[in-house]
Amino acid sequence: MQVTTILKKALKTFFWIVLIFAFIFFLLAGFIQVPAIQTRIVQYVTSLISNKTHTKAEIRKVHISFPKSVVLEGLYLEDQHADTLIYAGKAKVNMAFSDLLRKKIHVSSFALDDATVKLYSSESDSRFNYDFLLTAISDTTGVVGGDADIFI
């Protein structure tokens, strides 16, 4: 009888733990849908990019459709010479948010509307004008969580 009682209590405890984690997950997914929270996320990301690259980064508006897509409006990023590197009236990225838990980013599709993208390398330098972004992304100092793998 005691083994049965202990087993029932263990299963009940396990059930409640799973239920609490599921509740927290759905609560976070709901919070991400709130425009004010999406705006705060955008402000954090743009300031992080600007600080790491020492260039201007702006996103006018974001819409996160959990768990699959992110739509950015008014995406603007300068290169190191203060010229436009990327401007997109609208950028849509479909990705698996579950991969973020494994420190990976898997982009299944990427679309730009009303976009200007200026990528080049000069004759005197074989590096492209976007190389500073790759350097900033690969530099993990000061980034919470360390390395992340990016797959496109």
Side-chain angles (χ1 to χ4, degrees):
M1 288 259 194
Q2 284 215 342
V3 172
T4 308
T5 306
I6 293 171
L7 186 60
K8 283 183 181 180
K9 284 185 179 184
L11 285 173
K12 191 175 182 180
T13 302
F14 177 74
F15 171 75
W16 279 104
I17 290 171
V18 169
L19 191 64
I20 289 169
F21 277 116
F23 177 73
I24 291 170
F25 175 77
F26 286 115
L27 190 66
L28 288 174
F31 277 132
I32 288 176
Q33 299 301 315
V34 176
I37 292 176
Q38 291 179 1
T39 301
R40 297 285 290 167
I41 292 170
V42 166
Q43 290 171 346
Y44 174 77
V45 169
T46 54
S47 69
L48 181 71
I49 291 170
S50 291
N51 291 336
K52 284 187 74 78
T53 62
H54 307 292
T55 61
K56 185 176 180 181
E58 292 179 351
I59 300 172
R60 188 175 65 245
K61 188 176 176 185
V62 67
H63 178 71
I64 301 171
S65 297
F66 193 79
K68 187 161 169 104
S69 70
V70 176
V71 177
L72 306 172
E73 293 181 18
L75 171 65
Y76 176 76
L77 182 63
E78 287 182 349
D79 65 12
Q80 291 182 313
H81 302 290
D83 293 329
T84 300
L85 180 65
I86 298 171
Y87 171 78
K90 188 175 188 180
K92 183 175 182 180
V93 181
N94 284 326
M95 57 194 264
F97 283 100
S98 60
D99 287 343
L100 293 175
L101 299 174
R102 287 173 254 148
K103 298 180 184 176
K104 295 183 181 195
I105 298 173
H106 179 85
V107 176
S108 58
S109 68
F110 183 76
L112 296 174
D113 289 337
D114 185 27
T116 301
V117 181
K118 297 180 181 180
L119 306 176
Y120 61 85
S121 67
S122 64
E123 291 181 18
S124 62
D125 188 6
S126 63
R127 294 174 18 132
F128 281 89
N129 64 331
Y130 62 85
D131 283 346
F132 73 99
L133 285 174
L134 301 176
T135 303
I137 290 170
S138 65
D139 178 21
T140 59
T141 57
V143 176
V144 176
D147 293 327
D149 297 326
I150 300 174
F151 300 103
I152 298 177

